Amino acid sequence: MVEESVSSRVVLTAPLALEGGLAEEMQPPNMVQRVISLFRNIRPGSDLTQFQLPPLFNMPKSQLQCYGEGVYCTGEDYLSRCNLGKTSRERFASVVAWSISTTRPAIFGLAPFNPILGETHHVSRGNLNVLLEQVSHHPPVLALHATDSEENIELSWCQHLVPKFYGASVDVVIHGHRQLLLKLHKEKYKMNAPNFVIRILPKPSMEWCGTVRIKCEESGLEAEVCYYRGRSFWGFRGNSRCIRGKIFHTDTQKLVYEISGHWDKTVSLKDIDSGEVRVLYDAKKAISKLETPVLRNAEGLAATESAMVWGEVSQAIINKDWEKAREAKRKIEERERMLARERKEKGQVWMPKHFTVSQTKEGHWECSPLDASVPQAPIFVPLPSPD
């Protein structure tokens, strides 16, 4: 009975994907007019970090779930492929391909829920176990830890989002870093994430932009991958979703590979020495028709799990019951404000459960996992069926 009660409160929705997925299920009408109305009374340059969206503008999932999907929801497994390269050059190129695979299409006019403090999301896919925690609410900072004991791969992220309104667009700067450790090769790769732009006028769009830098000190290699904004003139689209980049030696700056293509189509890699060009990344194979996570062990589910915290709101959004969605979301927000007041009155400092958190003198957030590995999760992603 307890398991049935928990299961009924958990809502897991299709991931954001290139084909199929949540975007195919949710197609909000008149969204451009609604978005313009939403930002009518907000001044350009305003920080939107604490801006509360009505449920009408929410997708039925949390920001933690969206970031987690970038790791555990995949078609072709680009993460495991990072281990297969025979040389440091080949492995570095594979890491670049995996980094691109975490880029997912969004739905214009819909944003995920801003996670509550201490919210977690724990999912497994095969031997890969992924755990996320919201380690700060104001400002919003999330941490991720993932381990694969079979592949000897470890991931750790710490990211801090700052959205600002600029009249015709909302620019989301993503501070922080991602780290990928290939233990078999004793190689550590450090990288950042692209930023995000929600363009409202003259033509609505949502784009990844900015430069991703990837560095591996052990191999002495570095990469710069630039995500270009699509230029628009009176509503005519430019070359959006285009990426270009290079892989080079850090010390000498000598070029090794050139990178070009579109993150939602294919990306090519050109070997500078041989002139050979090959497909580095294929979005259709990586992020199309992805499997939806499934609950397999309700008893092992944490009360802080995203799919449970936002379950009632998510189900109401799916049912288009906006009054119920508003009320359920209001209850969550009021409870969080009450808990924050109680901590303040008692002089208590909230501490994350799964990470240590600190800030540098420059204000950068640092997150380190408390445990060496992530255990198997009560939620899993079915592996794709072989062709």
Side-chain angles (χ1 to χ4, degrees):
M1 290 295 290
V2 174
E3 187 165 332
E4 286 182 11
S5 174
V6 171
S7 299
S8 65
R9 288 184 285 148
V10 173
V11 176
L12 294 162
T13 54
L16 295 170
L18 196 60
E19 294 178 10
L22 191 64
E24 201 169 87
E25 298 174 5
M26 301 196 68
Q27 297 177 351
N30 305 318
M31 190 49 75
V32 177
Q33 290 86 346
R34 293 180 183 181
V35 170
I36 292 172
S37 174
L38 179 69
F39 292 113
R40 185 172 292 157
N41 297 319
I42 301 176
R43 290 183 299 176
S46 297
D47 187 336
L48 300 180
T49 301
Q50 298 187 41
F51 183 65
Q52 297 293 338
L53 281 173
L56 185 66
F57 297 93
N58 283 127
M59 62 180 73
K61 66 175 69 208
S62 166
Q63 184 76 63
L64 292 190
Q65 291 169 284
C66 289
Y67 272 105
E69 287 173 6
V71 177
Y72 61 69
C73 279
T74 60
E76 196 157 306
D77 188 358
Y78 278 85
L79 181 59
S80 295
R81 191 182 290 182
C82 296
N83 259 337
L84 302 179
K86 295 180 180 178
T87 67
S88 58
R89 285 171 137 200
E90 290 177 355
R91 291 191 294 275
F92 198 101
S94 294
V95 170
V96 172
W98 169 77
S99 175
I100 296 170
S101 78
T102 64
T103 308
R104 303 298 167 93
I107 307 171
F108 179 80
L110 296 182
F113 305 121
N114 187 18
I116 65 172
L117 185 64
E119 181 179 326
T120 58
H121 185 48
H122 189 194
V123 179
S124 294
R125 180 183 186 272
N127 295 297
L128 178 67
N129 302 315
V130 184
L131 176 65
L132 298 97
E133 183 176 13
Q134 190 74 7
V135 296
S136 171
H137 188 60
H138 296 307
V141 181
L142 65 87
L144 177 149
H145 186 212
T147 55
D148 187 323
S149 57
E150 187 171 294
E151 296 290 343
N152 278 307
I153 290 175
E154 183 175 8
L155 289 169
S156 58
W157 294 8
C158 184
Q159 296 194 168
H160 168 207
L161 284 68
V162 180
K164 287 191 176 182
F165 177 61
Y166 290 104
S169 68
V170 176
D171 290 17
V172 183
V173 178
I174 303 177
H175 298 286
H177 64 273
R178 304 175 175 185
Q179 182 174 286
L180 168 60
L181 179 61
L182 302 181
K183 296 182 179 180
L184 290 176
H185 304 285
K186 298 179 180 178
E187 293 173 343
K188 184 184 295 183
Y189 298 81
K190 294 183 178 181
M191 64 200 82
N192 62 316
N195 297 320
F196 195 63
V197 175
I198 304 167
R199 197 188 302 276
I200 303 169
L201 296 171
K203 187 174 181 179
S205 66
M206 302 182 77
E207 303 172 341
W208 294 97
C209 63
T211 300
V212 173
R213 291 179 172 83
I214 304 173
K215 189 172 183 178
C216 178
E217 291 185 358
E218 289 78 12
S219 65
L221 293 171
E222 195 169 338
E224 291 181 359
V225 181
C226 185
Y227 288 69
Y228 288 93
R229 289 192 187 193
R231 301 301 173 187
S232 181
F233 181 73
W234 293 107
F236 292 97
R237 298 294 300 144
N239 194 21
S240 64
R241 300 189 171 185
C242 172
I243 62 174
R244 296 189 184 280
K246 59 184 179 180
I247 299 174
F248 56 94
H249 289 281
T250 300
D251 292 340
T252 63
Q253 302 292 296
K254 182 183 176 182
L255 202 58
V256 179
Y257 296 113
E258 286 182 343
I259 300 163
S260 62
H262 296 80
W263 66 260
D264 64 330
K265 296 176 183 175
T266 59
V267 178
S268 297
L269 185 76
K270 180 181 178 180
D271 189 312
I272 297 302
D273 291 336
S274 67
E276 178 188 356
V277 178
R278 66 178 177 88
V279 174
L280 174 68
Y281 174 71
D282 187 330
K284 189 171 184 179
K285 293 180 180 178
I287 59 173
S288 290
K289 301 176 181 177
L290 303 176
E291 298 286 345
T292 301
V294 176
L295 177 63
R296 64 177 168 189
N297 176 20
E299 291 184 357
L301 205 68
T304 53
E305 165 59 45
S306 297
M308 178 130 61
V309 170
W310 298 101
E312 187 179 358
V313 189
S314 294
Q315 192 59 59
I317 289 173
I318 292 168
N319 296 339
K320 294 183 171 57
D321 187 341
W322 304 115
E323 186 58 39
K324 186 174 182 179
R326 278 192 293 271
E327 179 61 20
K329 191 176 183 185
R330 183 189 64 79
K331 286 181 181 178
I332 293 172
E333 292 166 350
E334 283 190 356
R335 180 177 180 274
E336 288 306 299
R337 285 192 285 267
M338 180 193 71
L339 291 173
R341 284 195 302 268
E342 289 179 356
R343 286 193 296 270
K344 187 175 181 180
E345 291 169 0
K346 296 177 181 178
Q348 295 176 340
V349 177
W350 181 87
M351 299 293 289
K353 184 177 181 180
H354 303 285
F355 297 86
T356 59
V357 179
S358 61
Q359 276 187 283
T360 64
K361 292 180 180 178
E362 296 79 18
H364 301 308
W365 289 77
E366 299 287 343
C367 308
S368 300
L370 290 171
D371 298 317
S373 63
V374 179
Q376 193 174 64
I379 298 172
F380 79 103
V381 180
L383 297 174
S385 302
D387 295 333

